[in-house]
Structures are given as structure tokens and as C-alpha cells.
Amino acid sequence: MADAPTPKFERFDDYIYVVWHALTPGWEKTRDFTLCDLDVMIGRNYLLTSHNHALPSIEQAFTAAGKDPDQLRKGPASCAALIAEVLTERYLPLA
């Protein structure tokens, strides 16, 4: 993780940029706690994520939002919060 930037939150005129660190897929089996970056851009009408791995956090949040259409109606910031919640829950077994 030496090349990973510090998690951050930056506000721009038309969007918010966030960098979170996510546990890489499969860590539960290997106990390899490698992190990867999850870059998120939150605009008025969009949510864009960028990551080097297929992240269970994104997939789980997408599935949860699909089961609750009201989640999508709440907008991109609410969906980003859902991703953050799921991403954070993946750390709980480490506590």
C-alpha cells in the first residue's frame, strides 16, 4: 500500500471527490489485508467510481440499491453513503 494516497475528501464547484481505501477481494480467505483505492466522484446527477479490483462493497451496495428503488431516488450522495457503509462493514471482522 506504499503507493496509495491518503483517504481524502475534496469539494469542487460541480462535484465532490473522495478517496477511500477498500479491502481487496478475498482477504477473508487469505488474511492478506491489502488495500486498494476506491475513487468516487459525486455530482448533482451522477456517481462515478474507479477502482482496480472488482470490489464486493460496490457490488453489495448496487444490489441493495436495486432492492430498494427509493435509495436511488435519494440521489448520488445517498448512494455514495451506502457504498461507504458497506465498505466500512467489511472491516468489522478485523475488530
Side-chain angles (χ1 to χ4, degrees):
M1 193 181 99
D3 296 334
T6 302
K8 63 181 164 181
F9 176 96
E10 292 186 53
R11 184 180 302 266
F12 295 92
D13 290 339
D14 297 331
Y15 66 94
I16 294 171
Y17 175 65
V18 182
V19 177
W20 289 315
H21 290 157
L23 289 164
T24 54
W27 72 266
E28 300 91 342
K29 294 176 187 168
T30 64
R31 302 312 264 181
D32 176 13
F33 305 116
T34 305
L35 301 176
C36 65
D37 290 342
L38 170 58
D39 296 270
V40 181
M41 292 177 68
I42 308 162
R44 181 181 175 126
N45 297 314
Y46 65 88
L47 172 66
L48 175 70
T49 65
S50 175
H51 36 92
N52 294 346
H53 300 278
L55 296 176
S57 303
I58 300 294
E59 294 170 18
Q60 289 172 5
F62 184 77
T63 299
K67 291 179 182 177
D68 181 10
D70 286 335
Q71 181 68 44
L72 296 175
R73 288 186 199 104
K74 293 177 185 175
S78 180
C79 291
L82 178 61
I83 291 170
E85 181 180 327
V86 174
L87 183 143
T88 303
E89 287 174 356
R90 289 190 40 82
Y91 282 94
L92 292 178
L94 299 176

